[in-house]
Structure formats: structure tokens, C-alpha cells
């Protein structure tokens, strides 16, 4: 049996593990923290938005040039949406989803009904979207329930949304520990805004090196705010020229 926290100690039985726990506890926590940091500071391959399922190009990190299709929960870029609209207009065709070809809803109420069908299938994107609808309506308790279900299915956006609830105490009690847990989960999944939030938390706590690592990762994903933060700290000598130059090159590659 292997220790589930540090993955380093092995035991012949559960009884042996319990007897050794008091001696292993301190080293276990240290190694578990090291493993967590290795995962936390690993550069994500892409943002949490991923690629458009039609053209396979990465979505811009802001999300303003893409939209979620209620019928299939796919995030589709504006370019593919426009190309589909032109095809339908030229061919005098019925308006359908560019990905799954489901007829487009004719009203917000119909779109919500279609989304609820996706929710019934336990679709994490639909759960997160429905949570956002309730949040915007001021129903924080229901939003919390939807986002909690979505995080259980690995939805990165839901993790970030829960961090905001725990930060502001909306629908839940304020909890710094749980807020950080969800911020880290979102950051690991490629959420650049969560990276910035973590960087600010680390900076305010005096852990400048960790904060700079977060900003470098966010800049590499194409985050403007992270570049600004790095530039300000480079100007006062808190970021070395080599790291700043590498971050700028990675940022430019991401936005291009």
C-alpha cells in the first residue's frame, strides 16, 4: 500500500501504515506540498478554453471571440459561426448549430430549455453555464450547487467561479483555504485569470518568487495584465532580464 498523499512511502498493510503515521506525517506533508507545486507551476499546454472543435484553432483567452452552443455545449469561435451563417444565407438554409447541426433556439426561454436538457445529461459546461445564469439572477445558493457539481466533473471555469463565492461570501461563508484550493485547480487547468489572482495573493503574502512564476505562466498564455505586472517589477529589478524577455516572447507567440 502506497501513501496517497506523498506517493513515496510504501507499506505492507494498513496496520503498518497507521503505526508509522506519526513518524511519517511531517515528511509526508513536505513531499505532498512539493508534488502540488510541481503540478501548480507546470506550464499548461493551452488555456482552459481549449480549441474550437471546428477549425481546431486555439480560442483567445478572453473568451469574447467565441460562444457556447446551448445544444451541444461546444465553445465555437466567431470565425466558424460567421462562416456557417454565410453558408446558410447563401443557400437559404435553416439556421443550425455550426457543430451539431441542431436548429438554433428562437428565444432565450427555448435556449434555456435546451441547456437544461444538457444539464440532465450531467454535462459540466452546461452545469457551469446554468450556475452563471442563477448567479446573475442573484441566486447564489443554486449557483453554488451547479458549480460544485461541475467542479466534480473537472470544469475549470466552475472552480474559478467557486473561488469568487468563497472570496466574497456569496451563498457560502468566506473561506480563504477553499478559495485558494479552487483558484489553484483553475490555474492548473489553464485559467489565466486564476493565475493572476494567485499571483496577487502570493505577492501580498510576501512570496514574490511564487507570484512572479504565476505571472510568467499567465503571460505565456497571452494575458495582458500579467505582462504589465512583470514589466513593472522588471523596471525595479525584481524580475531578471532573461525571464522577462522569455515571458514577452511567449506572450507574443500566444497572441499571434
Amino acid at each position: 500500500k502506497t501513501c496517497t498523499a506523498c506517493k513515496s512511502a510504501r507499506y505492507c498493510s494498513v496496520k503498518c501504515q497507521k503505526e508509522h503515521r506519526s513518524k511519517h506525517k511531517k515528511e509526508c506533508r513536505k513531499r505532498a506540498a512539493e508534488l502540488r507545486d510541481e503540478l501548480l507551476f507546470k506550464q499548461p499546454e493551452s488555456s482552459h478554453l481549449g480549441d474550437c472543435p471546428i477549425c481546431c484553432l486555439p480560442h483567445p483567452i478572453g473568451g469574447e471571440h467565441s460562444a457556447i452552443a446551448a445544444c451541444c455545449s461546444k465553445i465555437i469561435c466567431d470565425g466558424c459561426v460567421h462562416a456557417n451563417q454565410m453558408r446558410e444565407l447563401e443557400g437559404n438554409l435553416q439556421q443550425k448549430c455550426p457543430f451539431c447541426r441542431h436548429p438554433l433556439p428562437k428565444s432565450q426561454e427555448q435556449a434555456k430549455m435546451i441547456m437544461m436538457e444538457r444539464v440532465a445529461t450531467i454535462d459540466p459546461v452546461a452545469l457551469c453555464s446554468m450556475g452563471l445564469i442563477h448567479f446573475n439572477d442573484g441566486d447564489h445558493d443554486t449557483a453554488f450547487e451547479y458549480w460544485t457539481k461541475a467542479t466534480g466533473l473537472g470544469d475549470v471555469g466552475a472552480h474559478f467561479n467557486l473561488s469568487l463565492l468563497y472570496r466574497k461570501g456569496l451563498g457560502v461563508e468566506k473561506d480563504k483555504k477553499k478559495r485558494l484550493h479552487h483558484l489553484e485547480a483553475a490555474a492548473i487547468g489553464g485559467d489565466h485569470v486564476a493565475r493572476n489572482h494567485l499571483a496577487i495573493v502570493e505577492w501580498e503574502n510576501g512570496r514574490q518568487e511564487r507570484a512572479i512564476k504565476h505571472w510568467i505562466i499567465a503571460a505565456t498564455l497571452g494575458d495582458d495584465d500579467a505582462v504589465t505586472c512583470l514589466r513593472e517589477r522588471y523596471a525595479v529589478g525584481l524580475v531578471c532580464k532573461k525571464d522577462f524577455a522569455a515571458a514577452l516572447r511567449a506572450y507574443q507567440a500566444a497572441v499571434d
Side-chain angles (χ1 to χ4, degrees):
K1 181 178 175 61
T2 303
C3 177
T4 56
C6 68
K7 312 294 183 183
S8 58
R10 295 186 177 183
Y11 302 97
C12 58
S13 65
V14 175
K15 180 182 177 181
C16 178
Q17 183 180 17
K18 289 181 178 179
E19 291 175 350
H20 187 248
R21 183 170 295 169
S22 59
K23 297 180 180 179
H24 176 61
K25 189 174 182 180
K26 184 177 180 180
E27 184 63 29
C28 179
R29 287 182 176 178
K30 180 182 177 181
R31 180 55 184 156
E34 290 173 351
L35 290 174
R36 181 67 173 176
D37 278 357
E38 287 178 10
L39 183 61
L40 180 60
F41 291 109
K42 181 180 179 181
Q43 181 69 49
E45 294 182 2
S46 63
S47 80
H48 66 293
L49 297 176
D51 302 335
C52 173
I54 299 176
C55 66
C56 298
L57 293 175
H59 287 297
I61 61 172
E64 62 270 13
H65 298 298
S66 58
I68 299 176
C71 46
C72 56
S73 296
K74 297 296 183 182
I75 304 176
I76 304 171
C77 72
D78 287 352
C80 289
V81 171
H82 177 71
N84 184 61
Q85 290 173 342
M86 293 302 296
R87 182 186 63 84
E88 292 170 341
L89 185 63
E90 292 172 359
N92 195 26
L93 304 172
Q94 180 185 7
Q95 291 186 330
K96 294 184 178 181
C97 170
F99 183 79
C100 69
R101 301 306 183 192
H102 187 283
L104 295 182
K106 298 180 180 180
S107 64
Q108 289 292 332
E109 291 74 17
Q110 188 178 6
K112 189 173 181 180
M113 288 179 60
I114 294 173
M115 187 177 294
M116 286 304 299
E117 293 177 2
R118 297 295 305 176
V119 169
T121 65
I122 319 298
D123 184 300
V125 176
L127 288 167
C128 187
S129 299
M130 190 57 64
L132 186 60
I133 291 174
H134 284 281
F135 178 82
N136 291 334
D137 289 340
D139 187 356
H140 302 136
D141 292 335
T142 304
F144 174 78
E145 293 177 5
Y146 276 114
W147 286 337
T148 299
K149 291 179 181 177
T151 57
L153 297 169
D155 189 89
V156 174
H159 273 295
F160 178 71
N161 292 340
L162 283 180
S163 77
L164 297 180
L165 294 185
Y166 282 114
R167 176 191 176 190
K168 300 179 179 179
L170 300 175
V172 293
E173 292 185 6
K174 291 184 178 180
D175 193 315
K176 291 182 179 179
K177 187 176 181 180
K178 289 183 179 179
R179 179 202 172 199
L180 284 176
H181 166 75
H182 289 293
L183 276 179
E184 288 182 354
I188 291 170
D191 191 314
H192 65 103
V193 180
R195 281 283 173 194
N196 274 310
H197 282 231
L198 281 175
I200 292 170
V201 171
E202 296 288 13
W203 190 268
E204 291 176 347
N205 289 333
R207 295 191 285 265
Q208 297 181 356
E209 184 178 347
R210 292 173 66 87
I212 290 170
K213 285 182 179 179
H214 283 305
W215 278 320
I216 289 175
I217 292 173
T220 302
L221 291 172
D223 186 88
D224 296 335
D225 293 335
V227 172
T228 300
C229 291
L230 288 172
R231 182 180 291 111
E232 291 173 351
R233 284 148 184 85
Y234 170 69
V236 295
L238 295 175
V239 178
C240 70
K241 182 178 181 179
K242 179 181 177 182
D243 289 343
F244 182 56
L248 282 180
R249 287 193 294 269
Y251 165 79
Q252 194 62 50
V255 297
D256 285 346

